[in-house]
Amino acid sequence: MRLKTLCLLLIVMGSFACSQSNAPAPAAHDSRSHDFFSFANTDQFVAEHLQLELTIDFDTEQLYGSATLVMRRLDPAATEIILDSRDLMIQGASFESASGELATAEFRFGKSHDVLGTPVLITVPPDFGSAAQLSLKIDYRTSPTATALQWLPPELTTGGKHPLLFSQSQAIHARSWVPLQDTPAVRITYDASIQTPPELMAVMSANNDPDTARDGSYEFEMPQPIPPYLLALSVGNYYFAPIGEQTGVYAEPELLDAAAFEFADTQAMLDTAEAMFGPYAWERYDLLILPPSFPYGGMENPRLSFLTPSLLAGDRSLVSVVAHELAHSWSGNLVTNATWRDGWLNEGWTSYLELRLMEVLYSKERAAEENVLGYRELLLDFEQVAPDFQALAPRFETGDPDDFQGTIHYHKGNLFLQYLENAFGRDRFDEFIAAYFDEHAFGTITSEAFLDYLDDKLLSAYPGKVSRTQAEQWLYEPGLPDAAVIPASATLDEAAELAALFSQGEIDIADIPAADWSPQALVHFINSLDADLAGDKLKELDATLGLSDTRNAEIGRTWFIQVAKRQYRPAYAKLEEHLNRFGRGRLVQPVYQALVENGADADLARNMFERARRLYHPVTITSIQRVLQPGTPD
Ligand code: BES
Ligand code: ZN
């Protein structure tokens, strides 16, 4: 039997730890495979299917209805189901057996935890004996403060006339809108029935129908099993525009044409990805353009990536985020990190695949430029992240999985895979990629299981290239191994050189061929300016290159970080506009941080934040508050 078939069978049988072929999965008590961020007793009961019936109430900012979990009992003696929840109001619970027997369920809340929420403990009635399959229905309401949900009043949408709701479940926020086993080690299929105000449209990480009647009643089905962090819902004044055969975009009507233009390459990306990584398992791939408060660049909700509107630069220069979210259809959604401590298996793999796509779809040079920018971010992260969290697979048992290692798992993970590609050659590595996804499809994997698989397929199969100890160094040691292949780009090198010459007064502004550069080269140029560059030079740059007025959010981010670092006050008004235009954490948090750290503007940063915070998502607010806290050097 092929492993993939075995994995599917194990999932059907209720086992969730389908890791890999030649080594047994670590035992549940092994702290490296234990999920410290869920209360669920998945060794006793495991959810297989979820049925949601929810009404969206914009007046009270609540969802209400029911969630029914179809669960398999793995331990015949187990009598209590523990689910994750956060701020949920549960009205009642009941069981239904496979034969249709109904019984009221006793439930109670356990002790709440700041980050993890509150466990819900449900007693299985004795008449259910040791039934292997149970269906548990929970009637509940969410709270207006649900951490996964952002409720936007009409004025915070593009159209300004309708309210809008979106969810963001990764990493551990699904529990704030659905009571469930909120661990990536579990996979569920789902169906949903969603009631909305009649003029709005609901979309989910499921089988969206572009031609559905806009009548306020929407049905969804997700037949492929997904981890709970990929549950997603958005409701708004959405319309659809097709891009390709399997691809299209949902957005408010005001943004639809711009989005269809910006992401016109999505079908080609999907075709390229299938050719390189193996069959696309999810049928359609659509994009959803959210309002500016969406806290991330993108979120890989299956069949429907959620995107920030800040990608609409007008020149397709920021589409690597789409390549990234699409690549998650393999790394993450198809083969899933077992716990958040193994996050590099999602994000590092995806960053690597993203660059492989960029290379084929655009050019080697474009991929190289983005690779260098990622490497630069990694170096900055090494300065900010404690050594223990610089390992790709650190010990990670407390804290917040939304932010524990900056973006180290992205860029260091990418460099690990580039190092392997380089050592074994692209052809062999490409075979490895396709086999890895095929053999682990619809399963979860730990860093240790990955290492064993890598050892089996490459390290031991082609000895003398990379030792197991060398691979372990990437997983368990801080910093970068000496053998890492350092990314380089000729165009970026040139931009950095010109930045140095300009900083030293050796060339004039007219000698900088910025008009010929990619936005990535301009970003690198700005980052390479001397730390003590004089104000008049900044003024010249701004006036000539239009930096404060750029339409490109990445250029704006880079520029305003420098403006804040160098206390270049003439651009502060534009800086504040930038902080009010975007709510993507990456675009605003480092600007606040640079203000706080410049030695003069911590109070100003706090004031700007107070003025802007109603535009931000709770995740962004938390990340900004972390840098604004009094006591941060100022
Ligand atoms: N899955 C992430 C977003 C995420 C990470 C949500 C951690 C919650 C917790 C998504 O795929 C992502 O990586 N987004 C990046 C895109 C970029 C690296 C191309 C982002 O938002 O910046
Ligand atoms: Zn990602």
Side-chain angles (χ1 to χ4, degrees), residues 415-425 428-429 450-451 454-475 481 483-485:
L415 291 186
F416 178 32
L417 297 166
Q418 288 183 352
Y419 159 76
L420 292 171
E421 181 202 311
N422 184 56
F424 293 98
R428 265 185 209 144
F429 198 66
F450 176 80
L451 191 59
L454 175 71
D455 198 345
D456 187 35
K457 296 284 170 180
L458 289 176
L459 310 189
S460 301
Y462 305 99
K465 297 191 185 299
V466 175
S467 69
R468 187 157 172 128
T469 313
Q470 281 172 310
E472 281 170 347
Q473 200 188 343
W474 286 87
L475 293 194
V485 184

Side-chain angles (χ1 to χ4, degrees), residues 170 298-300 324-325 328 331 346-348 350-351 354 410:
Q170 194 187 1
M299 175 65 213
E300 65 270 27
H324 179 98
E325 305 315 332
H328 271 305
S331 46
N346 279 17
E347 298 300 348
T350 300
S351 301
E354 166 197 335
Y410 288 73

Side-chain angles (χ1 to χ4, degrees), residues 11 85 294 365 409 419 424 490 573:
I11 290 162
S85 83
F294 184 61
E365 190 47 42
H409 49 317
Y419 159 76
F424 293 98

Side-chain angles (χ1 to χ4, degrees), residues 509-510 512-519 522 544-545:
I509 189 92
I512 299 168
D516 304 336
W517 284 347
S518 64
L522 187 51
T544 314
L545 304 178

